[in-house]
Amino acid sequence: MDTTSARMRPAGAPDEPAVRRVCLLTGLAGADASDRHADPELLGMVWAAPYLHAPGAVALVVEDEEGVAGYCVAAADTAAFERWLEADWLPPLRRAHPQGSGDTPDDAALVRRLHAWPRAEPALVVAYPAHLHVDLLPRLQGRRWGRRLVEAVLTELGSRGVAGLHLVVDPANTAATGFYERLGFERLAADGGGVTYGRRPLG
């Protein structure tokens, strides 16, 4: 497939369906998670779509002739982002997905998260206030688009004076852990919730 037409651009609310789709197709440690979710929109509504709407968030997509094939989204201020989630984003999702709902184990786990959203560790947020998520469909993997997306987001956050950024990686996604380490991220912690990486400075 010819991917030379791919380009990176800022993303916004109109990109939400495409971003949610990419999130689902990469949601199983980088592989397609469609079979794990009866509700194909829920995963993206939790992990990707909020950043297209949150104040101060950064969102980029890469698209080719077939459409959006990847994204990188970030919150410059994780604590402020979490307050916005609680005030604006989560209430309608909680009404649409009551506690105890979810037709698959993975959907049920997402619903539990919606109703008890875990906050980032305060000490982590002080040192690494921003956080990001990046996903790329297989057709554009191995072509440096992941690096370009992350570096563009880091540059934007650095220009705003953001001191550091953290992210959490599924330990099963060994390709992702290697990717972040090559980008200069430092492993900070590892537990049942994943491997936490941080980077300071961002520029």
Side-chain angles (χ1 to χ4, degrees), residues 11 22 31 42 65 68 77 79 81 84 98 132 156 164 172 176 179 182-183 187 192 201:
V22 172
L42 186 56
E65 66 278 6
V68 171
D77 182 335
F81 177 76
W84 173 83
L132 67 73
E156 171 60 24
F179 169 75
R182 289 191 297 274
L183 282 175
R187 185 181 291 231

Side-chain angles (χ1 to χ4, degrees), residues 1 3 6 17-34 43 60-72 133-147 149 173:
M1 178 185 298
T3 59
V19 167
R20 289 200 311 263
R21 177 177 176 274
V22 172
C23 186
L24 180 65
L25 294 178
T26 58
L28 185 61
D32 188 353
S34 299
L43 188 69
L60 299 174
V61 294
V62 57
E63 62 182 354
D64 59 14
E65 66 278 6
E66 294 186 32
V68 171
Y71 62 82
C72 186
H133 301 285
V134 58
D135 286 302
L136 199 65
L137 294 181
R139 69 178 187 260
L140 288 188
Q141 292 175 7
R143 300 176 181 274
R144 298 180 61 85
W145 279 111
R147 175 182 286 271
L149 284 165
N173 193 346

